[in-house]
Amino acid sequence: MKNITSKLIHGNIDNQKDIYRSLKTPIYETNAYSFDSSEQISSAFKGEIDAFAYSRTANPTVFELENRLTLMADAVGTVCVSSGMFAITSTILALCNAGDHIVASTYLFGHSYALLNNTLRDIGIETTFVNPANEEELTNAIKPNTKIIFLENIANPQLFVFDIDKIAAIAKKHQIILMIDNTLLTPYLFSCADHGVDVEILSTTKSISGGATSFGGAIISYESDKWGANKKTSEYFKNFGKLALIKKLRKDSYRNTGGSMSPHNAYLQLLGLETLTLRMDKSCENALAISRFLETRQEVKQVNYPALPSSKYFTLLNTHYKGKAGCLVNFELESKEKCFSFMNKLKMIRRATNFCDNKSLIIHPHSTIYAEYSELEKQNMNISDCMIRFSVGIEDIEDIKADILQAM
Ligand code: PLP
């Protein structure tokens, strides 16, 4: 199987060992696994044999989800965890010590920004926030102790699109690990493997969960000589080569902090993977149609959707991405009051956080996800109080349009 939808539906057929030949991966709701002998359990703990021992560390249902994500991404390995936030946290803990430094995009999901700016700063991991589109600003922010460059390839909710090849070249020159949050596009619409990314982050809570069914996160690792250059993974690189980051996570920052994914969530997300490409194609088609529709409305001051021919990112999206921009659209009305009044009148489209649900969801980021930030911080992050973020669902397009029309 060469193509992504078939890979997601079948996984690695030769590797499926369910004793009853179940077509769906069963939910292994068990905390521990028995061994035939004391010698065998000892070998499992020492890593001499591959075996499941305890579900916080590894579980067969979660393992199958990890395998399918690795296959989909053309990567070397994946660790699935409890949430997207935990995927970011445990990766940073695997690569940085107190005293280390990160260069990150100013344009990040609010809690990712807060993790770097508050939680990690408090324990001595410093972050400099930059505009990743500005190569000079990015390069100038790099210090001798910089360990990671971290950004969302398409920023949520600003929808700025970044040229990952250019940023990967800077990361390579300075031997710094490039960590990309690819949640909005997933490996289906942006291949980190083809653009010099070292580690990819997904909040599987979004499109992979199959429609807001469950929380989860994935850390997808690529082959990189930087695992040898980073002092926290260099020993692992000597012993495990390209699997250095995965082994480091499994034996250290993921295992010891306990943020495992539940087997039930992994089961739901395996179901989600089977229909991922269908759902993503439909939400991209709907998002483009809604963006075009919003552009024709005089109440709407500005529409941002990178796949719109009028977008300044249209060329980049078509040359460096796969031409599709995912389910998120943002647009501006005249004022915060106009945004609230419009949103309050919606009947089918739900006022809710989250995105890549099958349902259309709408939110005013300034007063919700970014409410804890000062006006100046919000200004720096380009979060205007006139901006609405719209996660376009997979409903019939005429019903989405009709709801917007009656609310306007
Ligand atoms: N990354 C992005 C781009 C997000 O939008 C989110 C959440 O909305 C996260 C990471 C965090 O994911 P989770 O809510 O699964 O922890």
Side-chain angles (χ1 to χ4, degrees), residues 83-86 88 109 112 152 156 181 183-184 201 203-206 215-216 354-355 389:
S83 68
M85 286 316 304
F86 193 71
I88 299 170
F109 164 58
S112 304
E152 292 165 13
N156 164 31
D181 184 332
T183 294
L184 178 61
I201 298 292
S203 163
T204 58
T205 313
K206 305 295 185 290
F215 264 85
N354 204 17
F355 60 85
R389 185 188 80 179

